[in-house]
Amino acid sequence: MDFSSLAWLAVIPALGFLVVVHELGHYWVGRKMGIKIEEFGIGLPPRAKVLFVRKGIPFTLNWLPLGGFVRFAGEEGGFDDPDSLASAPPRRRIPVMAAGVIANVITAIIMFAIIFAIWGFPNLDKVMVASTDEFASKAGFVVEDVFVSINGSPISADEQVRQLVETSDGKPVSVVVQRDGVEQTLSVTPQYSAEAQRYRFGVGLGNPRESVNIFQAIINGFTYSFRLLGEMFMGFAMLIGGLLGTNPAPEGGLAGPVGIARLTGQVARSGLRDYLNFTALLSLNLALINILPIPALDGSRIIFALIEAIRRKKIPPEREAVVHAIGMMMLLGLMLLVTVSDVRNIISGEPAITMPPTPTPIVRP
């Protein structure tokens, strides 16, 4: 039996771990803020068993393995409970809602730091050949070749490689690469891809890695995570702009649970480093999506608390609950549409996406 077809199951520990970390952030800060917690669940209902009870809070194991949840008092009624989340003032409610996002960012920083400490930090000022197809191999490219120049233009970013190749009009280009410390010159005629509608070398691009100590790894994990968050935010803004017609839509698109499972399986086949790297990227995606001011997400609940703090007047919890319920239905509808697209891509043999995915948002009950 070919077990490689089951590689998509790698999404269960990756996404499940990240969601549990997110909920642990809510749980820990909720406890510190004196919010009553009725249950902490690993996985999604129906409940399989109660693992243990700690300080009156049941920790449960549930049958659906993706994710987890923390149930605060007052989320499903009982808004008048003085210890409920709904009754808490904004100064206590906002930290609880922000804690899940912060936990995911911290997790990404730690995971990147571990990756950099073990496998080195990618030199973002150099571009190397990370993979080759048959055309690239025949052209003379070898994995780990570092680009020095193309037609005399120094190379320090992968976008430069793409731009110079795409504007070559299929004419031979002179490519200088560094291989095992020695510079070599290749004459390559870019291949036109009808599918991508552009000229290409047939190489996957990456950054060469350099050894760093543990302190450098931690600092780099911090700076790299926030750099990626900035790029993800800009990519999301471009995606929204593409939908509104204010700018060209970026390459790629959204991926739902099915698409993420496909991507995770593909990455898992590449090895532990790539799997951990992808999990860290998912953690940042999870943080970014859930801080957006969309009803049912943490960002929206923070907005409600801020409005309440500014007005100095409590918003009726029943009305806020209705807004979040509508938002949850809209999110589930979007998730269904994206899942249909993911399944269609599988049937047609199309790739999942060509950009970091948007994971399933975490919605509070």
Side-chain angles (χ1 to χ4, degrees):
M1 181 179 180
D2 182 12
F3 287 97
S4 64
S5 62
L6 300 178
W8 63 270
L9 291 173
V11 73
I12 294 176
L15 197 53
F17 165 72
L18 295 179
V19 175
V20 169
V21 164
H22 182 100
E23 297 300 335
L24 279 172
H26 289 309
Y27 169 83
W28 187 78
V29 177
R31 286 287 311 276
K32 294 296 181 181
M33 291 294 157
I35 308 297
K36 183 179 178 181
I37 299 174
E38 296 179 341
E39 181 182 358
F40 184 93
I42 298 174
L44 299 177
R47 180 186 296 181
K49 64 179 297 186
V50 176
L51 297 174
F52 57 88
V53 177
R54 177 179 172 80
K55 296 185 177 180
I57 303 171
F59 284 71
T60 63
L61 182 65
N62 298 270
W63 284 111
L64 299 181
L66 283 179
F69 64 93
V70 54
R71 180 174 292 116
F72 292 104
E75 286 193 326
E76 298 179 351
F79 300 125
D80 55 349
D81 186 336
D83 295 325
S84 70
L85 186 64
S87 299
R91 69 177 184 276
R92 291 165 57 200
R93 208 156 71 240
I94 291 174
V96 175
M97 290 296 98
V101 168
I102 295 172
N104 280 131
V105 173
I106 292 174
T107 299
I109 292 172
I110 293 172
M111 293 187 73
F112 280 129
I114 292 172
I115 292 169
F116 298 155
I118 297 175
W119 289 285
F121 180 69
N123 186 333
L124 303 179
D125 295 322
K126 293 183 179 181
V127 182
M128 79 169 190
V129 176
S131 62
T132 59
D133 63 10
E134 184 177 357
F135 172 80
S137 297
K138 289 182 179 179
F141 288 107
V142 176
V143 172
E144 295 188 359
D145 279 352
V146 177
F147 285 93
V148 176
S149 66
I150 297 179
N151 281 347
S153 299
I155 300 299
S156 59
D158 54 7
E159 190 58 37
Q160 292 176 294
V161 177
R162 295 189 182 95
Q163 185 176 7
L164 289 169
V165 173
E166 290 175 11
T167 58
S168 68
D169 293 327
K171 298 176 183 177
V173 296
S174 175
V175 183
V176 179
V177 298
Q178 189 176 66
R179 184 180 301 164
D180 298 326
V182 179
E183 290 190 0
Q184 298 192 25
T185 301
L186 307 175
S187 180
V188 184
T189 301
Q191 180 188 52
Y192 185 76
S193 170
E195 180 181 354
Q197 296 185 342
R198 58 182 173 84
Y199 288 97
R200 56 191 288 276
F201 275 164
V203 298
L205 301 177
N207 304 104
R209 292 181 175 268
E210 299 176 353
S211 298
V212 293
N213 60 42
I214 185 63
F215 300 105
Q216 291 172 317
I218 294 171
I219 294 172
N220 289 337
F222 183 87
T223 57
Y224 189 67
S225 294
F226 280 94
R227 173 176 174 168
L228 286 176
L229 272 175
E231 292 177 358
M232 289 176 183
F233 180 81
M234 292 303 298
F236 185 82
M238 289 181 64
L239 183 63
I240 297 299
L243 294 174
L244 298 177
T246 58
N247 58 256
E251 293 184 5
L254 296 176
V258 175
I260 293 174
R262 288 184 66 197
L263 284 168
T264 309
Q266 294 167 11
V267 172
R269 295 188 188 98
S270 301
L272 179 60
R273 187 190 73 188
D274 289 344
Y275 180 63
L276 292 176
N277 189 78
F278 186 74
T279 303
L281 284 172
L282 279 179
S283 192
L284 292 178
N285 265 276
L286 208 57
L288 177 61
I289 290 300
N290 282 280
I291 201 60
L292 294 176
I294 299 174
L297 301 184
D298 294 333
S300 174
R301 295 174 185 274
I302 292 173
I303 294 296
F304 270 100
L306 288 173
I307 293 173
E308 181 179 318
I310 294 170
R311 295 176 63 212
R312 297 184 179 181
K313 182 179 179 181
K314 190 167 186 62
I315 299 173
E318 298 85 354
R319 294 184 182 179
E320 182 179 343
V322 170
V323 173
H324 293 314
I326 294 172
M328 183 182 295
M329 288 188 289
M330 293 175 62
L331 286 171
L332 292 175
L334 175 61
M335 197 183 305
L336 178 61
L337 291 176
V338 174
T339 300
V340 170
S341 176
D342 290 340
V343 173
R344 187 172 63 243
N345 287 339
I346 293 175
I347 295 173
S348 62
E350 295 291 326
I353 56 171
T354 57
M355 64 184 289
T358 300
T360 305
I362 298 175
V363 291
R364 312 223 61 76

